[in-house]
Amino acid sequence: MKTRLFLIAFVFILFLCSCKREKPLDKIIDESLAFSAKQYALMADVMMDKPDLLPRTIDASGVLVTSNSGWWTSGFFPGSLWNLYDYSKNEKLKEAAIEMTSRIEKEKNNKGTHDLGFMLYCSFGNGFRLTGDQSYKDVMLTGARSLSTRFRPNIGCIQSWGSRKGWQCPVIIDNMMNLEFLMWAFNQTGDSSFYRIAVTHSDTTIKNHFRNDFSTWHVVSYDTITGKVEAKQTAQGAADGSAWSRGQVWGLYGYTVMYRETGLQRYLDQAVHIADFLISHPNMPEDKIPYWDFNAPGIPDTNRDASAGAIMASALIELSGYAGGGKKAQYLGVAEKQLRSLSSPAYLAKEGENGNFILMHSVGSLPAKSEVDVPLTYADYYFIEALLRYKKLLN
């Protein structure tokens, strides 16, 4: 009998030893952040020789594609450099962040885009947070006033793109991401117009952008005279009625931020509804990195969007701190899975490869055949942010 028990115990021990132990998340986070710092230091070296330009992606041949400061993603690379400097205290990264941030300053006067939050708050905002440089604050306040000029009072939204056939005043769900910039300006100045614009835009978007299942249309266009909805469509999703993945997570992130900034329960409720839609969706892959559209044709043999996974992870980490009951653990569990997936060889590049970007396999606009299965600066930005947020929790 003793011999039999011994053999059973011995076999069980061998089984445990043969099982691959999961690496601790804190180690994964530190390794991914250290890699990101090295990779973006290489990118900074390349960009120093390209005056006035910012990295955007790579083409099909792996050649770096850049943009000028007016492209909507221009603020993500300097913002990532600031965050990686915050992590590493590497002065080289700080110097690069200062240089790349300076390349965007002129956009403070740009009244032709809704993306000034992405462009200025991610770059100058992180710089101001870490240095307290008052000139950065001045740039952002000018930019926030420029953004405010795009608010259409009779509609209750900030106009996104210019008018075109069928769209008099198009508003995209992405615009929720630029409201944090206005709330920052309100907190800095006490000017309630910033607050009113952000809250009104958020409320109008809840009313008109979301379906009964809490998925969102990409584009809602309004009649400029009556203020009524004239169209609900998509520009980057698989179909007008589909759930374009990055659009869903823009909404999740945006309402999480708006709850943080206002304390209004309706924004927390909206964020929770969106999170639950995403987490429980039957087409959410096992590794929790979404397909480019939750209703894309060809699932599971279609592209993933690492940028959607990174944005979602960052939002869920923050939302877990506000959600009650068992949702805190649920949201953190999903975010942990996403960070593990993004930090794996399936999505994380090798040093010196991938055009010196950090993540592989993002999708800009598949219908337009633009930036499909490539690295993107905003995927990297929100991945770094998510890593830092989870690291703060672990500490």
Side-chain angles (χ1 to χ4, degrees):
M1 183 66 179
K2 289 183 178 179
T3 302
R4 183 182 177 190
L5 290 173
F6 175 81
L7 287 173
I8 291 173
F10 181 72
V11 170
F12 182 67
I13 291 170
L14 286 177
F15 170 76
L16 290 178
C17 291
S18 67
C19 292
K20 185 178 180 180
R21 293 187 63 188
E22 200 169 42
K23 184 182 290 187
L25 186 59
D26 60 343
K27 187 172 182 180
I28 289 175
I29 287 174
D30 281 334
E31 289 176 352
S32 292
L33 285 170
F35 164 75
S36 298
K38 290 180 181 178
Q39 193 78 333
Y40 264 31
L42 295 174
M43 178 75 84
D45 286 341
V46 172
M47 296 310 301
M48 286 296 186
D49 294 329
K50 299 179 182 297
D52 301 323
L53 297 176
L54 288 305
R56 175 175 165 180
T57 184
I58 55 175
D59 65 16
S61 302
V63 176
L64 179 67
V65 177
T66 60
S67 74
N68 60 27
S69 63
W71 183 244
W72 74 275
T73 66
S74 61
F76 290 116
F77 179 58
S80 292
L81 289 172
W82 281 116
N83 281 332
L84 290 171
Y85 164 69
D86 191 19
Y87 163 74
S88 68
K89 308 308 178 195
N90 184 331
E91 289 296 319
K92 179 180 177 181
L93 291 176
K94 181 181 180 181
E95 291 169 6
I98 292 170
E99 168 59 27
M100 298 302 152
T101 298
S102 70
R103 297 181 181 186
I104 310 172
E105 180 174 352
K106 67 180 181 180
E107 301 307 325
K108 66 186 179 184
N109 297 312
N110 187 345
K111 298 178 182 178
T113 179
H114 66 286
D115 283 318
L116 291 178
F118 285 143
M119 296 157 74
L120 298 177
Y121 191 65
C122 292
S123 55
F124 283 89
N126 281 304
F128 179 62
R129 173 176 63 85
L130 294 172
T131 68
D133 187 330
Q134 290 299 303
S135 68
Y136 283 15
K137 177 180 176 180
D138 294 340
V139 168
M140 287 193 290
L141 289 177
T142 300
R145 294 185 186 101
S146 295
L147 176 58
S148 296
T149 66
R150 297 189 64 78
F151 181 68
R152 309 296 178 240
N154 66 321
I155 292 169
C157 278
I158 298 168
Q159 183 169 345
S160 298
W161 300 326
S163 60
R164 62 190 77 175
K165 186 177 180 181
W167 291 349
Q168 294 183 49
C169 180
V171 177
I172 60 176
I173 189 62
D174 318 35
N175 218 346
M176 286 298 304
M177 297 292 288
N178 293 291
L179 303 183
E180 184 175 10
F181 185 30
L182 295 182
M183 293 303 299
W184 172 87
F186 164 66
N187 290 323
Q188 291 291 319
T189 65
D191 183 344
S192 61
S193 66
F194 293 123
Y195 181 97
R196 287 196 302 273
I197 291 172
V199 167
T200 304
H201 182 100
S202 298
D203 290 345
T204 305
T205 301
I206 286 179
K207 179 182 177 182
N208 296 322
H209 251 85
F210 288 88
R211 308 181 182 103
N212 291 336
D213 62 359
F214 295 100
S215 65
T216 179
W217 277 278
H218 179 202
V219 186
V220 173
S221 187
Y222 297 86
D223 185 296
T224 54
I225 297 175
T226 66
K228 294 182 178 179
V229 172
E230 64 172 354
K232 294 186 177 185
Q233 295 176 297
T234 187
Q236 289 168 258
D240 287 340
S242 71
W244 173 52
S245 297
R246 196 163 64 252
Q248 312 312 304
V249 298
W250 286 145
L252 171 66
Y253 193 110
Y255 282 102
T256 300
V257 166
M258 284 303 293
Y259 174 70
R260 180 224 300 158
E261 294 299 323
T262 67
L264 294 172
Q265 183 66 36
R266 60 183 179 270
Y267 298 151
L268 176 58
D269 293 343
Q270 188 72 10
V272 167
H273 287 317
I274 299 168
D276 292 348
F277 166 80
L278 292 168
I279 290 170
S280 64
H281 199 286
N283 287 340
M284 174 64 83
E286 179 65 26
D287 69 357
K288 308 302 180 187
I289 307 304
Y291 300 103
W292 70 276
D293 190 300
F294 281 96
N295 306 108
I299 288 175
D301 299 319
T302 190
N303 294 95
R304 302 294 189 88
D305 184 5
S307 75
I311 297 159
M312 183 176 169
S314 188
L316 286 176
I317 293 166
E318 178 171 4
L319 183 58
S320 71
Y322 311 140
K327 292 191 180 296
K328 177 183 178 69
Q330 181 188 24
Y331 294 166
L332 282 179
V334 173
E336 176 179 342
K337 179 66 175 177
Q338 290 173 320
L339 290 182
R340 288 182 179 277
S341 297
L342 293 173
S343 296
S344 75
Y347 297 96
L348 197 69
K350 293 181 180 178
E351 187 173 338
E353 298 182 5
N354 197 42
N356 295 318
F357 292 92
I358 297 163
L359 292 178
M360 305 179 288
H361 308 311
S362 290
V363 175
S365 177
L366 195 145
K369 298 180 180 178
S370 173
E371 301 176 338
V372 178
D373 194 24
V374 292
L376 293 167
T377 50
Y378 46 95
D380 290 354
Y381 179 89
Y382 290 104
F383 177 56
I384 293 166
E385 182 181 79
L387 291 169
L388 291 171
R389 284 180 167 182
Y390 214 114
K391 182 178 177 64
K392 186 176 180 180
L393 285 182
L394 292 174
N395 288 341

